[in-house]
Every structure is written in structure tokens, then in C-alpha cells.
């Protein structure tokens, strides 16, 4: 198939497009021949022989945005086998076939039925087919072709990222790049000039320009001042067709912000500020605040303040409030109304960040005067000097002696009299006194520098007519030394020498101490005491550095003759006045080995070791041991004999108790119990009862006293003493068992919870029990029955 054109101007346009875009291809082409007509495609012969080159077509062009009423002719397809008899039918398929594009089945003409927009779709791919009208069989293979939509200038440039915001520093030079704007055009950039864009400034061209090709915005002036105008609004236009007549255009808004630079110095709104403050205000008190303004913004407004004049810098301090950029003026030293009532302080504000490009614009600092008026207040007294006083006094000063004078005054103009006193919490011993009017400090007690070398007291000064106005100062009193203590040996020195010491041998070195502290330092002198001046054994050597050495004067010391020497030494200081004391050095004579090492300093041990041999010592120890064994043996035998006697006695007492528990015959049963022993202790006299009753023995005397007496307490001292004696005897005798049951239970005593076990005790009670049955128990209980027999009427009458 080969294309065929017709149709005036449209045909010419299509022809030009085909000539531009089509070419001869070297690939295999479809050959049309009569022999192929009517055959099925599968029957088409495949040959590798070189065939005749046919007209190759593959694309058509159609103009976009067609506004005509008739379908727009696109092009024509034609087969070489078409003889014009209408036997061939042409069909198309693919994108837009049958809707956007239609084909005349007979002629092969293709028309566009809809308005095309290249910006929506740039080309359509279709396939063409020649078929036998009768059999609908394909006469040739299906061929693919493209219909391209040809661009026209129907899209204006658009700023897709607009509106724009940029910035540039103030006072920037001409030609400073600010920012870049960019517009896009939907038209075909490869066809014609529809997409060639140029830029221009519609509004704001006095201050800014734009590059026609790149869209870069530049500054047009050098005096942009943020403080005058901080932003500019520009209108930038983009035109296609390279700006030629008939081109389309679009515009956008560009906001350019002028950023700040430090081109303005700080300025104080006033040249003088006035503040007032009380003279009693504490150091650090804020007096007031001032602020300098800066037309710049951000960190370019940061500033710091300083005081320029020397006088104001001594009394006042200025600091910068980081939040408000204010100058805070505070008191650096106490103010004095009486000294000066008004202070003029020069405060200067300085920019922190100075731009060196603008130093030629002037000084970036400003000054103002701050006038501070000091008001008067009632102030407490002030001491002279104000930081405390140091006084000195000799430690031998007498009572009432003057130590020093404390001075204070009223700083106010009234000059009120001052009264002084000592804070007794700092002088609890009341060593010092002070005159309340003059401030003279005197001694109240005798001083001793060796006890306390310094005394720190506090003196209080108050106004005479206003006790609340008070102040204090520290007074340090140094006690000056007087030589009132003699030197003493540093320690109780003891020295040792060997018996074979040589003459001139140094035995010991001594030093002294002195509690005094002379201003010129210590100097001590050493000599032997007068009683030792004729000493023939030792000499004293004054070394001249406040120490002395002891040397031997002879040889051949014998500790058996004398093992200890006491050497008195006279110690004298340098005064004045010179004081002295005597110290004693104890020197021991010791036995030494051949190397001079001390072995023993005991004279007794030496004598014993010289008189007795080892064998004699052993024999002596054996004799002492034998004597010790004999003494122990004698003590053991003596204790054993004593134990036997106690055992026999205890054994007898135990037998009596056993027989008594066997229901014996009572006191009349003399065979089982020795009553004579008890009678001798308790003196039981025998009496006769009346004939009407049985013979009864009277109760002991202490019981009679209990019954017939005045009702007082019975005397148990006899029993108690006897029992206590037996208990002590049993407790101290460790050789026999503690057979003390008799002593324990013979008498319970009045304090026992069980009371007495004796039947005699019941005689004094008022028991209502009937004991008449005791008479029936036999002769053994006759005596007991007599005690408990009811009283006879005639006895009661008597």
C-alpha cells in the first residue's frame, strides 16, 4: 500500500509532514502482486529473494484544535493491487479507530471526527488492513501507522510554583541575585516557537529586573532600606513565541522581603534619666532601668551597656537584661548621704554585632546620663576602723589596766552620742570590761598567755537615744608574752650505759621546752645542779642549739655496786628575767654483749646468775615443788577429818527425824528421842495437872507467854538462831550431803505460806475442830490429847 493525497491546503500540509517524517526502509517490504490476490495469508509464499522496493509509510499528521464543521481529512491509504473496481475494502483498528478516526472502505480516505488536543494526547497508533470485499479475506499483512497531532500555539506559559517569596539583604549592591522564577508551556518545545518563553517585570521594575532568558531576578538599585520599606511586590510576565507578536503570556506575583543588616546604631530616647535611692539600700539593690532603641531587628538589636565615668563605676554596676535589652543599674558599694547626695552616671549602649561593611556610617554606640539622688536614713553607728580592731596587752598587766579604746561615731548629721558594751557570749568569763561612754577596754581578770594567747570579743555600739540603731565589731586582743614559766625537760629522760663504757662516751642528748614565747626566740643554758657539781661519773656538754649531751667521765661501771644514777641538771632560759628549773636524768647501768647491745639492766638478776649454776636452780625449784605438795596434802587430810565428824553428826540427826516420822510416842517416848537435849535448850519445867485430868507436861515457856501473855508476838529467836547455825554449817561443809531436812522443816516460821506443822501451834488458835478422838488412840497420844482436850468448867471458873 502507498499513500495518496488530495484536498487542497490540508493535503499540502499532510504531504509536507510525510516528506519530513517518512523514509525509505531497508527492511523487508510487502510486495503486492496479482498472484497474491485471493490467496489466504497462510498461503502467501515466503521468499528471501530481493523484491521490488515499495513506498513505505508509517505516520500521518493532523493539526490540533481543528474548529471546522466537516471531518478533518488526515490522509489516504491505497494498495497496489487496487484496480479501482471496488473489490478491495479498507479497514483500520487501534487507538481511536471508528470514533476519533474513520476510513472510507472504498477509497481509503481517513478523517478525524473530533477536535484533537496535542497537550492531552500527542499521537495515535493504528493498524491498516486491505481485504477482499467478497470474502473479507486479508489481501496483505496488517500494517501499523501513527497519526501525530501537530502542535499549534494554544497554551500560555504558566508559573507552576508561584506566587514566589524571596529575600535580599538591605543595602545590597546593584545586580545582587534575589531568586529565580520559572514558567512552563504545554506546547511542543520541538516544534516552532510555541514553547520559547521570555520574562519581563510588569510592576516593580524600578527596584528589580529579571533576566529574559533564565528568569533570575536582580536588584536594580543599591539603596534598599529595610527600615524604610521591608518588602516589595513584583509582577513578572512570561511570554511564549520568544516574545513575538501574537505570543501567549502568563504572570505571577513575587514578594521580595528585605532582610535586616546592622546599619543602625543604638539610640537612647532621652539624654538624662533620674532615679532616687535610700542610702541604706543594700549592695546589689536595683536603682532603675534604661533602654536604648535600635531600628534594626533580630540579633542586630543586641547590645550591652557599660558605665563610662570612673566615679560611677566605683559605686554602681550596670548589666543587660537579655530578654528586654534594658540596662539594669544596681548599687556596687554602700552609698552615703552625708558624703555625697547626687551621682551622675554616664551609661553607654554598644551594639554587640557590628558589621564591618557599615562602620563608615558612624559609631554604633550612644550615651546617656543617669542621675541618682541619695536620700537620708537613720543609720547605725560605724566603727573606726570598720573592719575590726587588734589590741595587745602584756600578760602580767594588773586588774583594771587599759587594753585599748574602741571608737565609733554616728554617721548621720545629728551625731547622736554612742554607748558601748561587750557581747558577753564572746566573753563569758568576763575577762574584759568596757567603758560605755569612752569605749575603753580594761582588764577584769588576770591574764595567762599560756592558757589563751588570743581573746576575740565582740563590741556593740548603739545610739544613746535609739537602741535599735546598733552595730558590732570584732576586737582581737593578743596577750603578749612575759617570761613567767621556767624551762623544763621535754620528757622524763632515761638513759642506759654499759658497764664497760669508755670515758667521754655520749650517753644521751636532752632538750627542753618552755611555755613562754619570747619575741627573740628561745635560748637555754644547761649546767649540772650544785649537788652534782662534784660528780665523778658524768659530765654535761652544752651543744649551744638548745640541747645538751651527757657523757661519761670514767670507765668501769659496776651495776652490782650501783645500777642507777640520778643526774640533776639545771635548766636556765634567757629571760628577762631568767628563770630556771632542775630536771633529773635517770641513767641505768646495764650488762651488754661484746657488740655493745644491752642484755639486762637488773642487778638482782645479775647477782643470781653469777652465784647459782643451772643445776642448783633446778634443785631449788624441785624443793619448792615438794613443799607445795606437802602443804596441799595436809590441807586435804584436815578437811577429810572434819567432813567425817560432820557426816556422823548429820547421820544422827537424820535417824532422829526418821524415827520421829514413824509416829513415835511423843515427848514421853524417851527411848526413841533424847528429850534432855531439848529440855536443856528450852527449859521445859514439869508441872502437875489437877486430879481430874491426866498428867500433862507444860508447854515451853515461849508458848506459855504466847497463850497467857498480853497477846503479843511469840519469840522465835531461839529456833531461828539454831536453824540458821545448822544451815550455815551444812552449806560450808562440802564433804557431806546436805542433810538439812531437819533444820528446814523443824519450824516453818510465821511467814511460811504452809504455816507451822507442829500441833503445839494449834493451841493458840480458836479452831472449832473436835480433838476428843485423840484420847482413843492409846497412851502414845495421851500427851497430845491433853493439849487439845476441851477445858473443864471448873477451870474456866477459876
Amino acid at each position: 500500500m502507498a499513500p495518496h493525497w488530495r484536498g487542497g491546503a490540508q493535503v499540502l500540509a499532510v504531504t509536507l509532514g510525510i516528506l519530513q517524517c517518512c523514509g525509505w526502509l531497508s527492511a523487508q517490504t510487502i510486495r503486492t502482486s496479482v498472484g497474491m490476490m485471493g490467496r489466504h495469508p497462510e498461503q502467501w509464499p515466503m521468499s528471501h529473494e530481493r523484491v521490488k522496493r515499495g513506498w513505505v509509510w508509517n505516520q500521518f499528521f493532523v493539526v490540533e484544535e481543528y474548529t471546522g464543521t466537516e471531518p478533518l481529512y488526515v490522509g489516504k491509504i491505497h494498495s497496489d493491487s487496487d484496480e479501482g473496481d471496488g473489490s478491495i475494502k479498507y479497514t483500520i483498528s487501534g487507538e481511536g479507530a471508528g470514533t476519533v478516526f474513520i476510513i472510507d472502505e472504498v477509497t481509503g480516505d481517513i478523517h478525524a471526527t473530533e477536535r484533537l488536543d496535542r497537550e492531552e494526547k500527542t499521537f495515535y497508533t493504528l493498524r491498516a488492513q486491505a481485504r477482499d470485499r467478497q470474502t473479507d479475506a486479508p489481501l496483505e499483512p496488517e500494517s501499523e501507522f501513527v497519526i501525530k497531532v501537530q502542535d499549534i500555539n494554544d497554551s500560555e506559559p504558566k508559573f507552576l510554583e508561584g506566587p514566589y517569596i524571596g529575600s535580599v539583604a538591605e543595602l545590597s549592591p546593584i545586580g545582587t541575585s534575589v531568586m529565580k522564577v520559572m514558567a512552563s508551556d504545554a506546547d511542543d518545545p520541538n516544534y516552532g516557537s510555541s514553547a520559547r518563553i521570555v520574562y519581563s517585570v510588569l510592576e516593580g521594575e524600578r527596584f528589580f529586573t529579571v533576566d529574559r532568558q533564565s528568569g533570575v531576578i536582580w536588584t536594580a538599585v543599591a539603596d534598599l532600606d529595610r527600615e524604610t520599606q521591608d518588602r516589595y511586590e513584583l509582577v513578572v510576565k512570561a511570554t511564549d513565541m520568544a516574545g513575538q507578536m501574537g505570543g501567549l503570556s502568563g504572570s505571577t506575583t513575587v514578594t521580595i522581603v528585605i532582610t535586616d543588616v546592622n546599619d543602625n546604631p543604638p539610640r537612647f530616647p532621652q539624654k538624662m534619666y533620674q532615679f532616687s535611692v535610700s542610702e541604706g539600700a543594700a549592695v546589689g539593690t536595683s536603682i532603675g532601668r534604661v533602654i536604648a532603641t535600635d531600628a534594626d531587628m533580630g540579633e542586630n538589636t543586641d547590645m550591652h551597656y557599660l558605665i563610662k565615668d570612673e566615679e560611677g563605676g566605683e559605686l554602681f554596676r550596670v548589666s543587660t537584661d537579655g530578654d528586654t535589652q534594658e540596662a539594669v543599674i544596681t548599687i556596687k558599694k554602700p552609698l552615703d548621704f552625708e558624703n555625697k547626695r547626687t551621682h551622675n552616671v554616664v551609661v553607654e549602649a554598644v551594639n554587640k554585632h557590628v558589621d564591618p561593611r557599615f562602620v563608615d556610617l558612624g559609631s554604633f554606640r550612644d550615651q546617656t546620663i543617669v542621675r541618682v539622688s541619695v536620700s537620708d536614713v537613720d543609720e547605725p553607728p560605724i566603727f573606726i576602723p570598720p573592719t575590726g580592731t587588734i589590741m595587745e596587752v602584756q600578760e602580767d598587766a594588773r586588774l583594771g589596766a587599759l587594753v585599748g579604746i574602741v571608737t565609733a561615731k554616728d554617721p548621720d548629721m545629728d551625731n547622736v552620742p554612742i554607748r558601748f558594751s561587750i557581747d558577753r557570749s564572746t566573753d563569758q568569763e568576763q575577762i574584759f570590761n568596757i567603758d560605755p561612754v569612752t569605749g575603753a577596754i580594761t582588764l577584769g581578770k588576770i591574764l595567762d598567755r599560756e592558757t589563751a594567747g588570743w581573746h576575740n570579743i565582740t563590741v556593740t555600739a548603739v545610739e544613746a537615744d535609739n537602741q535599735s540603731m546598733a552595730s558590732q565589731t570584732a576586737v582581737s586582743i593578743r596577750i603578749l608574752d612575759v617570761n613567767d614559766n621556767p624551762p623544763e625537760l621535754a620528757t622524763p629522760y632515761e638513759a642506759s650505759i654499759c658497764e664497760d663504757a669508755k670515758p667521754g662516751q655520749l650517753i644521751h642528748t636532752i632538750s627542753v621546752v618552755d611555755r613562754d614565747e619570747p619575741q627573740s626566740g628561745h635560748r637555754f643554758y644547761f649546767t649540772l645542779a650544785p649537788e652534782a657539781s662534784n660528780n665523778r661519773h658524768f659530765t654535761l656538754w652544752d651543744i649551744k642549739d638548745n640541747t645538751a649531751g651527757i657523757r661519761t667521765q670514767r670507765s668501769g661501771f659496776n651495776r652490782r655496786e650501783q645500777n642507777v644514777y640520778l643526774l640533776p641538771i639545771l635548766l636556765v632560759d634567757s629571760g628577762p628575767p631568767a628563770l630556771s628549773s632542775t630536771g633529773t636524768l635517770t641513767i641505768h647501768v646495764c650488762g651488754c654483749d661484746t657488740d655493745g647491745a644491752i642484755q639486762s639492766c637488773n642487778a638482782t638478776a645479775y647477782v643470781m646468775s653469777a652465784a647459782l649454776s643451772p643445776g642448783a636452780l633446778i634443785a631449788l625449784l624441785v624443793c619448792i615443788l615438794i613443799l607445795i605438795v606437802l602443804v596441799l596434802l595436809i590441807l586435804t587430810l584436815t578437811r577429810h577429818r572434819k567432813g567425817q565428824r560432820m557426816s556422823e553428826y548429820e547421820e544422827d540427826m537424820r535417824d532422829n527425824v526418821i524415827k520421829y516420822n514413824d509416829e513415835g510416842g511423843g515427848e514421853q517416848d524417851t527411848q526413841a528421842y533424847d528429850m534432855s537435849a531439848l529440855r536443856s535448850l528450852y527449859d521445859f519445867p514439869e508441872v502437875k495437872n489437877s486430879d481430874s485430868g491426866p498428867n500433862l507436861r507444860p508447854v515451853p515457856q515461849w508458848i506459855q507467854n504466847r497463850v497467857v501473855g498480853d497477846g503479843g508476838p511469840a519469840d522465835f529467836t531461839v529456833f531461828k538462831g539454831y536453824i540458821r547455825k545448822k544451815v550455815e554449817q551444812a552449806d560450808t561443809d562440802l564433804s557431806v550431803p546436805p542433810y538439812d531436812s531437819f533444820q528446814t522443816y523443824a519450824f516453818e516460821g510465821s511467814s511460811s505460806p504452809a504455816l507451822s506443822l507442829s500441833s503445839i501451834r494449834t493451841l493458840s488458835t480458836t479452831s472449832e475442830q473436835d480433838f476428843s478422838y485423840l484420847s482413843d488412840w492409846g497412851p502414845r497420844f495421851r500427851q497430845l490429847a491433853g493439849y487439845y482436850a476441851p477445858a473443864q468448867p471448873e477451870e474456866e471458873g477459876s
Side-chain angles (χ1 to χ4, degrees):
M1 293 184 290
H4 183 70
W5 299 277
R6 63 184 179 183
Q10 294 180 356
V11 176
L12 179 60
V14 173
T15 302
L16 292 175
I18 293 175
L19 291 177
Q20 290 177 359
C21 300
C22 295
W24 297 97
L25 301 178
S26 61
Q28 182 179 356
T29 61
I30 300 175
R31 186 180 64 178
T32 59
S33 64
V34 177
M36 294 174 57
M37 297 302 295
R39 294 185 181 181
H40 195 272
E42 288 80 354
Q43 299 176 350
W44 293 344
M46 299 301 296
S47 175
H48 297 285
E49 62 181 295
R50 183 175 180 84
V51 297
K52 179 182 179 181
R53 184 185 303 274
W55 182 262
V56 178
W57 59 275
N58 63 356
Q59 58 184 347
F60 293 102
F61 290 90
V62 61
V63 179
E64 66 170 337
E65 303 296 339
Y66 172 69
T67 58
T69 57
E70 296 295 331
L72 177 63
Y73 178 78
V74 177
K76 180 183 181 66
I77 60 176
H78 183 73
S79 176
D80 293 341
S81 60
D82 187 1
E83 297 178 356
D85 54 0
S87 60
I88 297 178
K89 180 178 66 174
Y90 297 97
T91 62
I92 59 174
S93 63
E95 296 178 334
T99 56
V100 180
F101 302 101
I102 60 175
I103 188 172
D104 190 322
E105 294 182 351
V106 178
T107 62
D109 294 334
I110 301 175
H111 292 79
T113 61
E114 295 181 4
R115 182 178 180 182
L116 303 180
D117 187 358
R118 192 200 67 84
E119 285 72 33
E120 293 182 0
K121 191 171 180 63
T122 59
F123 64 91
Y124 296 85
T125 302
L126 295 93
R127 292 176 297 278
Q129 182 76 59
R131 293 178 178 273
D132 186 277
R133 184 175 296 277
Q134 298 297 327
T135 62
D136 199 32
L139 300 178
E140 296 178 1
E142 196 174 48
S143 298
E144 184 177 271
F145 65 97
V146 176
I147 299 177
K148 289 188 176 182
V149 182
Q150 192 173 18
D151 181 55
I152 64 172
N153 190 19
D154 61 341
S155 299
E156 71 278 4
K158 295 181 179 179
F159 292 92
L160 300 181
E161 298 179 0
Y164 295 87
I165 299 178
S167 63
V168 65
E170 62 177 331
L171 301 180
S172 296
I174 297 175
T176 302
S177 176
V178 179
M179 62 182 302
K180 181 179 181 180
V181 297
M182 181 178 292
S184 61
D185 196 320
D187 293 326
D188 189 357
N190 299 319
Y191 180 75
S193 299
S194 300
R196 293 181 58 189
I197 301 173
V198 294
Y199 300 92
S200 61
V201 177
L202 296 181
E203 296 181 12
E205 66 276 7
R206 176 185 170 186
F207 303 101
F208 299 94
T209 61
V210 63
D211 187 273
R212 286 175 54 85
Q213 304 299 328
S214 63
V216 176
I217 299 176
W218 312 84
T219 56
V221 294
D223 58 350
L224 294 175
D225 187 8
R226 187 201 64 83
E227 289 74 29
T228 303
Q229 183 175 350
D230 60 352
R231 67 178 55 222
Y232 294 87
E233 300 289 339
L234 305 182
V235 177
V236 178
K237 183 178 71 170
T239 306
D240 60 9
M241 297 297 292
Q244 297 177 6
M245 186 69 68
L248 303 179
S249 64
S251 62
T252 187
T253 301
V254 179
T255 302
I256 299 178
V257 178
I258 308 302
T259 59
D260 184 61
V261 296
N262 193 10
D263 59 338
N264 293 283
R267 290 288 181 263
F268 285 103
Q270 301 175 214
K271 288 303 179 182
M272 178 176 289
Y273 297 86
Q274 292 188 354
F275 299 101
S276 62
V277 63
S278 171
E279 66 171 336
V283 173
T285 301
S286 175
I287 298 175
R289 292 170 174 247
V290 297
I291 187 171
T293 60
D294 193 326
D296 297 320
M297 61 182 300
E299 69 173 11
N300 294 324
T301 62
D302 292 345
M303 63 187 75
H304 66 275
Y305 300 89
L306 58 138
I307 296 177
K308 295 298 293 182
D309 61 311
E310 182 178 353
E311 179 184 356
E314 292 180 356
L315 298 176
F316 302 96
R317 179 183 290 109
V318 64
S319 60
T320 304
D321 189 325
D323 297 329
T324 62
Q325 293 296 310
E326 292 178 308
V328 183
I329 303 170
T330 57
I331 298 176
K332 185 177 180 180
K333 289 184 179 181
L335 304 177
D336 188 4
F337 171 82
E338 289 73 23
N339 186 25
K340 191 172 184 179
R341 303 183 182 185
T342 303
H343 301 273
N344 293 324
V345 183
V346 178
V347 178
E348 184 178 69
V350 182
N351 270 137
K352 286 185 178 180
H353 311 287
V354 178
D355 195 331
R357 296 176 300 172
F358 308 110
V359 293
D360 56 343
L361 298 179
S363 174
F364 283 81
R365 59 184 63 216
D366 193 23
Q367 293 182 349
T368 188
I369 297 176
V370 178
R371 176 168 294 177
V372 181
S373 299
V374 182
S375 58
D376 186 28
V377 295
D378 190 6
E379 299 175 273
I382 58 175
F383 286 91
I384 303 173
T387 57
T389 304
I390 297 178
M391 301 179 180
E392 295 180 347
V393 61
Q394 296 285 341
E395 68 172 320
D396 60 348
R398 296 173 298 175
L399 291 177
L402 178 64
V403 178
I405 299 176
V406 178
T407 304
K409 68 175 184 177
D410 182 12
D412 300 320
M413 300 186 66
D414 297 337
N415 197 17
V416 177
I418 307 300
R419 297 294 179 261
F420 301 93
S421 63
I422 295 177
D423 185 355
R424 288 304 175 185
S425 64
T426 61
D427 185 27
Q428 297 181 355
E429 299 180 2
Q430 298 186 3
I431 300 176
F432 303 96
N433 298 320
I434 190 170
D435 189 292
V437 177
T438 63
I441 299 177
T442 56
L443 284 180
K445 288 185 179 180
I446 296 299
L447 301 175
D448 184 9
R449 190 204 63 82
E450 288 71 32
T451 302
W454 285 85
H455 294 273
N456 298 313
I457 63 175
T458 300
V459 175
T460 303
V462 300
E463 293 183 0
D465 58 352
N466 187 0
Q467 299 293 324
S468 63
M469 291 291 103
S471 58
Q472 292 182 330
T473 188
V475 178
S476 299
I477 301 175
R478 179 186 179 186
I479 310 304
L480 300 178
D481 183 49
V482 173
N483 191 27
D484 57 349
N485 292 280
E488 300 174 352
L489 288 177
T491 59
Y493 287 106
E494 293 188 5
S496 300
I497 61 173
C498 297
E499 289 182 299
D500 55 353
K502 301 297 188 292
Q505 178 179 337
L506 179 64
I507 301 174
H508 204 71
T509 301
I510 61 174
S511 61
V512 299
V513 294
D514 193 335
R515 293 192 297 167
D516 295 322
E517 292 183 358
Q519 295 182 357
S520 59
H522 288 290
R523 177 68 180 95
F524 301 108
Y525 304 94
F526 303 85
T527 58
L528 292 177
E531 59 269 24
S533 58
N534 296 325
N535 169 52
R536 297 179 295 103
H537 309 290
F538 306 99
T539 59
L540 181 66
W541 171 41
D542 192 344
I543 305 179
K544 304 299 183 181
D545 60 350
N546 293 334
T547 61
I550 309 300
R551 292 179 174 177
T552 56
Q553 191 173 358
R554 66 180 181 86
S555 62
F557 292 91
N558 191 340
R559 57 175 168 163
R560 287 176 293 177
E561 297 177 357
Q562 185 175 353
N563 64 334
V564 176
Y565 292 89
L566 301 178
L567 185 64
I569 301 173
L570 181 63
L571 312 172
V572 183
D573 60 16
S574 57
L579 300 179
S580 65
S581 67
T582 301
T584 301
L585 172 64
T586 304
I587 303 174
H588 298 273
V589 180
C590 303
C592 303
D593 58 13
T594 56
D595 296 330
I598 296 176
Q599 299 296 318
S600 173
C601 297
N602 191 337
T604 303
Y606 179 84
V607 173
M608 289 182 62
S609 62
L612 297 177
S613 64
L617 289 176
I618 294 174
L620 180 60
L621 291 177
V622 171
C623 293
I624 294 174
L625 182 60
I626 293 173
L627 288 176
I628 292 173
V629 171
L630 290 176
V631 172
L632 292 176
L633 182 60
I634 293 172
L635 291 176
T636 303
L637 292 175
T638 303
R639 188 176 186 84
H640 180 68
R641 291 177 181 176
K642 183 178 179 181
Q644 284 183 342
R645 289 195 300 269
M646 290 300 298
S647 299
E648 293 174 357
Y649 183 77
E650 292 291 342
E651 194 173 350
D652 293 340
M653 296 300 294
R654 180 179 59 183
D655 292 340
N656 290 336
V657 172
I658 293 173
K659 291 180 180 181
Y660 182 80
N661 291 339
D662 291 340
E663 298 293 339
E667 294 181 357
Q668 292 181 351
D669 190 1
T670 59
Q671 295 180 357
Y673 197 86
D674 188 6
M675 297 299 294
S676 61
L678 291 177
R679 289 193 182 97
S680 64
L681 290 174
Y682 303 107
D683 190 17
F684 292 157
E686 297 183 359
V687 296
K688 294 286 186 176
N689 200 354
S690 61
D691 297 336
S692 59
N695 293 332
L696 299 177
R697 289 183 180 275
V699 297
Q701 184 66 32
W702 60 274
I703 296 181
Q704 294 179 5
N705 294 336
R706 176 69 176 85
V707 175
V708 302
D710 55 1
D715 186 8
F716 299 98
T717 57
V718 176
F719 284 112
K720 291 181 178 179
Y722 178 75
I723 292 171
R724 186 181 300 107
K725 179 178 179 182
K726 289 297 183 181
V727 171
E728 292 176 357
Q729 187 177 2
D731 291 338
T732 57
D733 192 356
L734 303 179
S735 63
V736 297
Y739 296 126
D740 53 356
S741 59
F742 175 79
Q743 288 85 346
T744 303
Y745 295 100
F747 177 72
E748 289 293 330
S750 60
S751 61
S752 174
L755 300 179
S756 176
L757 299 179
S758 175
S759 59
I760 302 176
R761 181 66 175 171
T762 61
L763 182 64
S764 62
T765 64
T766 58
S767 175
E768 296 179 358
Q769 186 175 358
D770 186 9
F771 296 96
S772 60
Y773 59 89
L774 297 176
S775 301
D776 301 332
W777 286 10
R780 289 180 178 272
F781 296 90
R782 185 180 298 118
Q783 183 72 26
L784 184 61
Y787 290 143
Y788 292 92
Q792 300 297 331
E794 53 270 22
E795 290 178 355
E796 296 175 0
S798 63

